[in-house]
Amino acid sequence: MKLTRLDKLRLRLVAQDACLGWAFNDIAGKPGIVFELGLGHGRTYDHIRTHLPDREIYVFDREVDCYEDCIPPSDKMILGDMRETVPEAVQRFSGQVVLLHADTGSYGDKHNSAMQQLLNATLAPALAPGGLLVSDLKLDVQGTEPLPLPPGATESRYFIYRRT
Ligand SMILES: C[S@@+](CC[C@H](N)C(=O)[O-])C[C@H]1O[C@@H](n2cnc3c(N)ncnc32)[C@H](O)[C@@H]1O
């Protein structure tokens, strides 16, 4: 039977949770900041800040339209079109990002393909050596290699890469 939209959403959320949980353990004890690309309703931001209370977390979106209790501090919220804000932030924080979570996909193939191109072309210099890129979209960022997904995550529902 084909996967329904509900199946896909469930598998994506389960994989997202498993991958982020795995990443929190992997980066423990390693210095660096966190990028959260895609504030959305603030669900994954809330999860990340709760599990990584001592990390500086920079959050990107074109707008703040999230749960009221998930609004990032203004000095950590990087507002604007990611086509402009991400390249600028990559320069500013070059080599400092130990965990980059990219949750930028939508229902539209055209949007997803544009985001993939943007992220593939820009993210590499941001990552610290050994840093992780956890993404809802399949990416091909120079200098990173794909990692196997942790238990509980279904292949191709989420993606993890490490800066080599
Ligand atoms: C899938 S949602 C993020 C969901 C969020 N992580 C959560 O758990 O609630 C993707 C977000 O990316 C943002 N986004 C997509 N393309 C963007 C762009 N080019 N510039 C800025 N924000 C963008 C959208 O506004 C949307 O809030």
Side-chain angles (χ1 to χ4, degrees), residues 46-127:
D46 187 36
H47 199 62
I48 291 169
R49 70 178 176 177
T50 300
H51 286 268
L52 303 177
D54 299 326
R55 297 277 183 183
E56 259 182 64
I57 306 168
Y58 288 88
V59 187
F60 298 71
D61 209 298
R62 57 165 61 92
E63 59 185 352
V64 174
D65 183 23
C66 63
Y67 293 105
E68 250 182 48
D69 62 356
C70 296
I71 298 174
S74 57
D75 64 328
K76 299 290 184 301
M77 181 71 222
I78 301 189
L79 263 178
D81 191 321
M82 283 191 229
R83 287 173 294 184
E84 289 165 16
T85 57
V86 166
E88 282 169 14
V90 166
Q91 292 298 315
R92 180 177 164 201
F93 297 105
S94 180
Q96 297 179 48
V97 181
V98 72
L99 172 61
L100 195 159
H101 177 228
D103 188 14
T104 61
S106 77
Y107 301 113
D109 288 344
K110 197 170 156 201
H111 168 83
N112 290 346
S113 163
M115 291 312 295
Q116 285 167 312
Q117 281 177 38
L118 170 70
L119 302 181
N120 286 341
T122 55
L123 291 186
L127 291 169

